[in-house]
Amino acid sequence: MVRAAPSNNSNRGGIRSDGAQIAEWFGSIPFCTRYLLGTTGLITLLCGLHVVPMYQLVLLWPQIIQQFQVWRVLTTFLLSSLSINGLLQIIMLYQHSLALETEEFAGRTADYAWFLIFSMLSILSVSWITGSMVHSYGLLLAIVTLWALRRSEQTVKFFLGFKFPARYLPYALMGFDCLMNGGQPPFSMVYGWGAAQAYYYLSVELPAQGRLNYIPTPQLVYRMFGMANRTGPGSARTASSGRTAGSQRPGGDGHFWGSGRRMG
C-alpha cells in the first residue's frame, strides 16, 4: 500500500501564523518605541552583517557639514552591536521606552517625541565639542533616567540580583559600563543622563512649582504627531504624581547590562 507524502501546508500555515503574530505584536507597539526598536534593530543588523559600513553612520561633523550627510545625526542614536550586549541594550530600550510611552505619555505621542528630540539635540550639542561618534547608549540613558525619575522609590533588580531604588539605576548603569570598559568614562551616557535631568527639571518640576515650562512641545511637533489632551503642566505629568507613576507596572523589574567595547 502506497501512502501519500505528508503535506507541507500545515507547516507553511504555522509559519504564516507565527509571522502574522509577530507583525501584529510589532504593529501594536506605540509609534515612537516602534520606530526606535525597528530602526535600531535594522541598522544594527545591517552593520553587523557588513551590508552597510558603520563608518557611514557614525556622527562625523565634517561629513555632515561639508558633504551634507545629514542622516548621521539620526543614525548615531540607532547603532548597537550584533552581540549579546547589543541585544540586551535593545531590550532595555524597548522596555523603558514602552513604559514611558504607554504610561507617563499615554495618548501624547507628540510630547514623548519632543522629549526624544530634546534629548538628541542636547547630546548632539555636547558632541559638537567632544567629537564623540556613537550615542545609542546616550539616548538609552536619557530614556532610563526619565523612567527612573518618575519611579524613584520603585525597587529594581540589577546585575547578580542586586536591588535598589530606581533613582539609582542610571548611576548603576554608568558605573557598570565604566567597569566593563576598563575604566573608560561613559561620556555619551553622561550626556543622556544630563539631557533627561534638564528635561525633567524644566518641563515637570518648575511647572509643578507654578513656574513656566521653558521647553514646551513645539506646535510643529504637535502638527507632525497630532495634538492630544495634556494631563498636567509641561510636557509630562506633575512631579508629585510622576515620581510614583507606574510603580506597580512592568518595565524595570529586572535589568541586565554590559555594553562591552564601545563603538567609536
Side-chain angles (χ1 to χ4, degrees):
M1 181 176 179
V2 179
R3 295 184 179 181
S7 174
N8 291 327
N9 290 337
S10 59
N11 293 334
R12 293 175 181 174
I15 295 174
R16 292 195 194 98
S17 177
D18 292 341
Q21 290 178 0
I22 294 174
E24 183 179 357
W25 164 78
F26 188 74
S28 68
I29 301 173
F31 177 80
C32 293
T33 302
R34 185 169 70 246
Y35 172 81
L36 287 174
L37 180 65
T39 53
T40 300
L42 178 61
I43 290 176
T44 298
L45 183 63
L46 292 176
C47 289
L49 296 177
H50 305 289
V51 176
V52 178
M54 185 178 296
Y55 180 79
Q56 296 295 327
L57 303 177
V58 299
L59 186 66
L60 295 172
W61 288 109
Q63 277 76 359
I64 294 172
I65 297 173
Q66 299 171 12
Q67 302 179 24
F68 303 103
Q69 297 179 3
V70 294
W71 63 83
R72 293 178 182 268
V73 299
L74 290 177
T75 54
T76 183
F77 296 102
L78 306 172
L79 287 169
S80 186
S81 59
L82 197 60
S83 63
I84 295 298
N85 292 326
L87 177 61
L88 295 178
Q89 178 194 356
I90 293 175
I91 290 173
M92 286 193 68
L93 176 70
Y94 167 72
Q95 288 179 333
H96 293 84
S97 180
L98 180 66
L100 284 175
E101 193 168 3
T102 56
E103 294 176 19
E104 281 76 17
F105 293 94
R108 297 183 296 125
T109 302
D111 290 333
Y112 185 54
W114 171 237
F115 161 68
L116 296 175
I117 294 170
F118 175 84
S119 298
M120 291 178 181
L121 291 175
S122 300
I123 294 171
L124 288 172
S125 65
V126 179
S127 72
W128 174 268
I129 302 172
T130 63
S132 49
M133 296 185 294
V134 179
H135 297 289
S136 54
Y137 287 108
L139 182 60
L140 173 63
L141 246 290
I143 293 171
V144 170
T145 298
L146 185 62
W147 179 92
L149 286 168
R150 307 311 296 267
R151 300 160 174 80
S152 60
E153 300 302 324
Q154 178 178 336
T155 300
V156 298
K157 294 179 182 178
F158 195 59
F159 187 66
L160 296 178
F162 287 107
K163 297 181 180 180
F164 46 77
R167 63 179 178 272
Y168 298 121
L169 178 59
Y171 309 104
L173 292 176
M174 289 188 284
F176 192 74
D177 184 84
C178 181
L179 180 64
M180 292 294 292
N181 285 280
Q184 180 182 356
F187 290 114
S188 181
M189 299 175 77
V190 174
Y191 307 156
W193 171 85
Q197 291 282 354
Y199 175 88
Y200 188 80
Y201 178 74
L202 294 173
S203 70
V204 178
E205 289 194 340
L206 287 183
Q209 299 169 10
R211 301 170 67 179
L212 291 176
N213 175 6
Y214 290 98
I215 51 170
T217 304
Q219 290 302 315
L220 175 61
V221 178
Y222 279 125
R223 287 195 291 270
M224 291 174 60
F225 293 94
M227 190 65 117
N229 294 328
R230 307 168 83 89
T231 60
S235 298
R237 296 171 188 169
T238 62
S240 59
S241 63
R243 289 188 183 275
T244 59
S247 59
Q248 303 300 321
R249 302 294 295 270
D253 294 333
H255 296 87
F256 307 91
W257 186 256
S259 63
R261 187 175 300 277
R262 181 174 290 103
M263 299 171 290

